[in-house]
Amino acid sequence: NAGVTQTPKFQVLKTGQSMTLQCAQDMNHEYMSWYRQDPGMGLRLIHYSVGAGITDQGEVPNGYNVSRSTTEDFPLRLLSAAPSQTSVYFCASSPVDASYNEQFFGPGTRLTVL
Amino acid sequence: GQQVMQIPQYQHVQEGEDFTTYCNSSTTLSNIQWYKQRPGGHPVFLIQLVKSGEVKKQKRLTFQFGEAKKNSSLHITATQTTDVGTYFCAGADNFNKFYFGSGTKLNVKP
């Protein structure tokens, strides 16, 4: 199993550009989520999904869109990039189980917006 | 809104000393998870606590969940250089939405 994969690893954008960060998992996990990590601020939840066709907003959803058409994939779209979106983005997945839902994180995408 | 605070922000210890990081929530949590992130890496799951007052051990690591399910701690006995990294707690107000603390960065001097 590859686990959780993310592409690209690094990306530089200009203000106003749009792009999609890709995330895929091969563990048949129902739950997938996107976080951003900024220095000294831990990880903040952007959007999450509890299954194909179902998405919901996290703590910091503005400026980002998601969709979940399959169990495996959960892309994150930046509609019009801003310098404030410079961050490290992590995708995570886990089974939906109230008693045990370890989150498996991908390697991250380091995004710089100029 | 939900807030999870974590202290201290940094901890420098001599190898062999103990280390503790604390996590506090403004609201009651359904569960709490702990993660470790090595420099340049991604968070790796350590443990999940669900029950009020729960205590779990993993070798030199001891995790506690408070009676009111609003606070948690991670204690490492006799630190080793392999313990270096940032430790995060993540609390959930339901089982699907997690709020991470800001992390405690541990440095261990040999």
Side-chain angles (χ1 to χ4, degrees):
Chain A
N1 286 354
V4 180
T5 57
Q6 290 184 240
T7 56
K9 283 187 167 48
F10 302 92
Q11 183 70 51
V12 179
L13 291 178
K14 293 182 180 177
T15 297
Q17 286 185 314
S18 62
M19 81 158 295
T20 299
L21 306 186
Q22 301 292 343
C23 175
Q25 52 93 10
D26 61 359
M27 296 173 282
N28 202 33
H29 285 165
E30 302 97 327
Y31 180 89
M32 295 186 74
S33 57
W34 277 102
Y35 293 88
R36 59 177 289 174
Q37 184 174 32
D38 302 299
M41 296 189 71
L43 291 91
R44 290 182 292 169
L45 182 64
I46 305 171
H47 286 286
Y48 67 99
S49 167
V50 298
I54 306 168
T55 64
D56 206 347
Q57 295 182 348
E59 197 179 352
V60 288
N62 292 343
Y64 307 95
N65 271 359
V66 292
S67 59
R68 185 94 180 270
S69 55
T70 67
T71 300
E72 295 78 18
D73 300 296
F74 191 42
L76 178 72
R77 279 182 288 276
L78 279 70
L79 309 171
S80 178
S84 61
Q85 294 179 303
T86 293
S87 189
V88 180
Y89 291 85
F90 287 102
C91 178
S93 76
S94 74
V96 176
D97 182 337
S99 62
Y100 193 80
N101 48 0
E102 168 183 354
Q103 295 188 73
F104 295 82
F105 282 81
T109 294
R110 281 150 181 80
L111 175 68
T112 301
V113 183
L114 302 175
Chain B
Q2 177 77 41
Q3 277 195 324
V4 175
M5 310 299 291
Q6 194 173 348
I7 57 169
Q9 192 174 0
Y10 300 97
Q11 187 78 57
H12 301 273
V13 300
Q14 199 72 37
E15 189 172 23
E17 291 182 337
D18 292 356
F19 160 77
T20 304
T21 173
Y22 300 90
C23 191
N24 290 286
S25 169
S26 54
T27 60
T28 302
L29 302 170
S30 61
N31 68 74
I32 195 155
Q33 297 180 341
W34 285 92
Y35 291 81
K36 177 182 178 181
Q37 184 177 27
R38 288 204 161 96
H42 59 274
V44 175
F45 178 85
L46 294 175
I47 209 159
Q48 174 170 296
L49 305 169
V50 178
K51 298 176 185 175
S52 168
E54 191 169 13
V55 178
K56 287 189 176 180
K57 293 190 176 185
Q58 288 180 349
K59 297 183 180 177
R60 296 178 293 105
L61 278 61
T62 302
F63 304 84
Q64 292 188 322
F65 200 10
E67 293 289 340
K69 299 184 77 173
K70 295 177 74 171
N71 62 287
S72 182
S73 65
L74 157 60
H75 179 81
I76 302 178
T77 303
T79 54
Q80 300 175 358
T81 54
T82 52
D83 295 326
V84 165
T86 301
Y87 292 84
F88 292 98
C89 61
D93 55 4
N94 59 52
F95 285 95
N96 295 324
K97 205 166 181 177
F98 286 89
Y99 297 87
F100 276 74
S102 54
T104 297
K105 189 173 183 178
L106 173 64
N107 187 36
V108 180
K109 290 183 285 186

